[in-house]
Amino acid sequence: MKNIHSLLLFLAVLAVFGCTRQPCPATPERGYQGPRPKETAAPVPAPKEAAKSTDDQIIGEIEKNIAFLMKDWGTPGLAIAIVKDGKPFLVKGYGVTDVKTGKKVDKNTAFYLASVTKNFTATLVATSVERKELSFDDTVAKRLPGFKMADPYFTKHLTIRDALSHRTGLGFHTDDTFIGKIFRTNGTITLKNTLAHLRTLKPLFSFRQAYSYSNSLYFIMGEILKRATGKAYPALLAERVLNPLKMTRTHVGFDWIKPDANLAMPHDLDPEGKVGRIPLLRGDFGPGGSIFSTADDMSRYLLMHLAKGKGVVKNPKPLMEMQTPHIFTGPNMYGDPAWKAAGLGWEMFDLRGLKVLRYDGFLPGLLSAIFIVPSRNIGVAVMINRSVSLAHMITGLTAIDLLAGRPAAPYHQIFRGIFKPVPVRKERPEFAKDLKQYIGKYTTVQDRQTFHRTITVKDGKLYCDNYMSVFGPPSPMTRLFPMDTATFFSKNADLVVTFRAVKGKIEMVFNHGGKPVTFVRKK
């Protein structure tokens, strides 16, 4: 899932690729009307002509880049699938599945895809549209009795197309509190509690006027598909996608996992700032995020999409609608034209003159991304097992450039400009006094949405819990080390927290990466 735990990482990636919190037009023809963001890095120069490289030279450059990125971003394991011109180009694993065991990643190592599942879900819907079991323009209410939102207009008019393209206008990551509560109580996401959650959502923007990422609207697609086809999501996915493509090592949910499974385990920085294994969160988000797959299987999936659904659909038109921009989401940093948009289960952007379709996924410790470039018949899938690493994104973009016959842009420098290594700060124990005075739940309102932080003390140490929110820091629980009077820092994020009393209220200034945000303690 993209929006659980530590997603400042994902938020910044979206700033480059996928979305903006500014209202967006409902139709691509109008173009982006919102303000342009401040530049965070120098624009990437236009590609220069390069001498044609051999396949072996390209693979050598990609592997050299992977080795460097894994070391620089502290990434234990990575798997990649590259396809070109209708056949596999590079399908391989690097590093280890688990720093404890040292087991090697190979092309058959399963990684949790998280929200890349949504691309599979949109593909399944397209198969139902082809069979006339559904229409993209059916309203959700028509296909799912009991569906209701806080705004009657949204309830009446929201379509399957709106849900799959995230163009609802509900607001950015409005599922955070709902999903956070489920995880905190070791609960299960069900149709009943998801529908109950959706009934509480009050739109933050006008209908179809803003990209509004939602796990819940994808989750309910499983029930819509079941009512239309008579088959549950796992069985339908196997019948229409996995079996025809011979994706024999791709699984839905967690029941398949055995002690000896060839499985990439999640890693992250712990509250003390050390890299290590973290628990695999077993939250089954169904059609929103539940698929495990391998580099070998993903090569087959990419080839299918580049071949306009060959092996999965006979009429490619519904599948190709997935690749059509449905809502523009702002400019990006990759030159002119610098556009981004959302399709159905795809996000897309201009990469120095190439239209690239992409979708990515995140669960703490596990990240994945898929890319296709239909005009060049290129597909890339990259999966890693470390949070706060952009090795997967940089690898994918670099591979696209090289396969397109041009020098790779300096993506590592661009992303390191956004995500600098965590600074080394000096801990000063003399300021760790009376820590209990900071305990409490703090809130802030950003872009019309409320975010929470909880400050606790355990064993004489101060901790900040990000309350399952997309709004940083990049770990669910961060230890705060004393550095000055009422000022603390984190060892697993570029984070400095300062507490202060203002007009009878206790405020927490949360400075993450040089961007201060003020939270106020609730009474």
Side-chain angles (χ1 to χ4, degrees), residues 135-139 159-161 167 321:
S135 166
F136 286 129
D137 296 311
D138 286 341
T139 63
T159 65
I160 292 173
R161 186 185 301 276
R167 70 176 187 186
E321 280 194 64

Side-chain angles (χ1 to χ4, degrees), residues 4 23-24 59 65 67 115 121 150 163 200 265 278 282 287 310 317 349 382 393 410 422 424 426 437 448 484:
I4 314 166
C24 301
I59 290 172
N65 184 65
S115 280
T121 299
T200 69
M265 299 305 297
I278 62 173
R282 294 177 177 250
K310 183 179 179 181
K317 184 178 178 180
F349 58 95
V382 190
M393 287 291 184
V422 177
V424 177
K426 184 178 180 181
Q437 65 179 309
R448 312 184 201 184
D484 206 335

Side-chain angles (χ1 to χ4, degrees), residues 47 124 174 203 218 224 286 289 315 346 350-351 393 408 427 444 455:
L124 267 187
T174 51
Y218 262 84
I224 289 174
N315 175 10
W346 285 111
D350 170 76
L351 186 69
M393 287 291 184
E427 180 181 359
T444 189
I455 300 297

Side-chain angles (χ1 to χ4, degrees), residues 224-240:
I224 289 174
L225 285 165
K226 183 178 179 180
R227 289 172 178 269
T229 67
K231 295 184 179 179
Y233 182 81
L236 189 66
L237 184 69
E239 178 187 290
R240 295 190 179 179

Side-chain angles (χ1 to χ4, degrees), residues 23-24 154 167-170 203-210 212 448:
C24 301
F154 276 63
R167 70 176 187 186
T168 61
L170 286 172
L204 301 181
F205 301 97
S206 298
F207 186 53
R208 293 180 183 157
Q209 293 301 300
S212 305
R448 312 184 201 184

